[in-house]
Amino acid sequence: MSTFHVLLVGIGGFFGAISRLWVSQVINKRIVSRFPAATLVINLIGSFLLGIMVGSGIGGSLFMLLGTGFMGAFTTFSTFKLEAIQLHMDKRKKELILYNVLSYGGGILLAFMGIELGMHLG
């Protein structure tokens, strides 16, 4: 990996993290709930968009910027895991199951749909 690619990942990551913060704040202002809806929506959007990138054949430097950098920082696997553990510790079993099913199942489904869409676009 070249220094240029590292820089692209860093730039994409900077904007991806800011975008995640903004989207999270918008969702949390509109949806008042103990359910981690913001993280779920962000990860589902990220799965779909990353699927489009892969399906359309984006590669090289552009994928480093958008796929690895932006989408890597926009989506949040660690927050998802932490929130799932918090649901477990709070003994909110139904919400924990729903959160996992929607996150994993919905993420895979949307990534697949994104790949299909990307193949038609690319």
Side-chain angles (χ1 to χ4, degrees):
M1 181 183 320
S2 69
T3 303
F4 178 66
H5 285 147
V6 171
L7 185 61
L8 289 175
V9 171
I11 291 169
F14 174 79
F15 287 106
I18 291 172
S19 297
R20 176 168 48 130
L21 175 64
W22 181 78
V23 171
S24 179
Q25 288 180 339
V26 167
I27 292 170
N28 286 330
K29 283 181 184 175
R30 292 198 165 93
I31 300 173
V32 179
S33 171
R34 291 176 45 201
F35 187 80
T39 303
L40 175 64
V41 170
I42 287 167
N43 285 339
L44 291 176
I45 291 170
S47 296
F48 183 67
L49 294 176
L50 192 57
I52 290 173
M53 289 179 208
V54 170
S56 65
I58 292 176
S61 297
L62 187 57
F63 192 81
M64 289 286 182
L65 176 69
L66 298 176
T68 305
F70 186 88
M71 298 312 299
F74 181 72
T75 58
T76 174
F77 196 71
S78 58
T79 302
F80 161 66
K81 292 297 186 188
L82 178 63
E83 291 170 343
I85 289 170
Q86 288 172 334
L87 290 172
H88 173 73
M89 292 176 68
D90 292 343
K91 302 188 184 323
R92 296 163 53 198
K93 189 175 181 177
K94 289 180 183 176
E95 289 174 290
L96 173 63
I97 292 170
L98 180 64
Y99 191 41
N100 277 288
V101 168
L102 291 175
S103 293
Y104 284 111
I108 290 169
L109 177 64
L110 286 172
F112 178 74
M113 292 170 62
I115 289 171
E116 290 293 320
L117 179 61
M119 290 171 61
H120 290 287
L121 296 174

